[in-house]
Amino acid sequence: MTINKIKEGIYTFRSLDWDRRLFDELIPLPNGTTYNAYYVKGSKKNVLIDTADPKKGKDLIENIRELGIKKIDYVIANHAEQDHSGTIPEILNLFPEATVICTKTGKKLLKELLLIPENKIKIMETQGEISLGDKHLKFIKTPWVHWPETMVTYLKEEKILFSCDFFGSHLAQSSPYISNKAKVYEAAKRYYAEIMMPFREIIKKNIEKVSELEIDLIAPSHGPIHQEPQFILNAYQKWVEDSVKNEVVIPCVSMHGSTRMMVDYLIDVLIKKDITVKPFNLTEVDLGELAKALVDTATIIIASPTVLKGPHPRAFYAAYLTNVLQPKAKFASIIGSYGWGGKMVNMIKETLTNLDVELLKPVVIKGQPAEEDYRMLDQLADSIYEKHKNMGLIV
Ligand code: FEO
């Protein structure tokens, strides 16, 4: 945990979790993460904005002590997920005078998830904004970034947006600020892909809401603070908009090499047509990288052999994940080889019901690809090329 002064009377308490490698026991964290809480000292009232994951709660408390904080009047819970709210009960034990402020949905969740007593919570819908004396905080509802109760907090005088998960990135680093823009861009895109992408339409509205504010700093609760707010606002704008890139993402797995031969052939043909191809070998895939590639690809091809009458479990999992992440891709298809039959195509097709895609003719063959099978892959590649060209992705 480290204390960094951002402005006069405004501090960040960052819990650095360098070694965390998995979030939700699912999402890989190649760069660790941080849980950022913020402390704002007003002339009359003091506020803690978000807290820390319970396993880092001790560090947060130590930092509060180190800064000599004697009174906390409000704890702002922008988000009820435990990596930000999990230390609220401990804070309330230490500062029994504190009131938690969150959305109406947040109140319900905090009561259920953390057993916080009802009388300790005020809802922002009736609060709107609070005065700390010389500073004022405004609360803005931003639902589904990435839970239903999420909100952001805006410090009017200093033009700081405390955005919690929104605009955040899983990135542990020494500095509280961005030192490597490209690295933060990739980490933020990966984070968006993993948890925000399914809520793309509502996030568009949330971006509009926060864009109405004059913002000097965006202070998220994971990763570094954005000193150039437009950098991350523009990135989010691109990710949520409907346009896609001239790309084909191919999650693939092969048992005896036949499906892989099909994938390799398709990759070569697509590259010759100036289409960017991103294959992901599902036996060793980093799911975060796959999710990131899905953010703006035009086409997804799932490549799977047939195992016990159905798709290879790894391909089925990739299809399931793709379906829940709901990327904005426009086209999809399925390719693969089988030995003696099965329902691989139908089972994958039935898994992709959330996607608003045109399904291009699948190519499913028996055994090792023969000449006529390669011609079917040529036709699939031609079809992808035509579709991309008609969308103006290829000029
Ligand atoms: Fe970082 Fe949704 O919690």
Side-chain angles (χ1 to χ4, degrees), residues 23 79 81 83-84 146 165 191 195 222:
F23 207 91
H79 180 21
E81 192 167 11
D83 54 323
H84 308 293
H146 58 122
D165 281 346
Y191 191 49
I195 63 167
H222 294 294

Side-chain angles (χ1 to χ4, degrees), residues 69 81 104 113-114 124 195 239 311 313 337 366 380:
I69 296 171
E81 192 167 11
K104 191 176 172 188
L113 299 178
L114 297 165
M124 58 76 83
I195 63 167
W239 300 333
S337 165
K366 194 168 193 309
L380 176 60

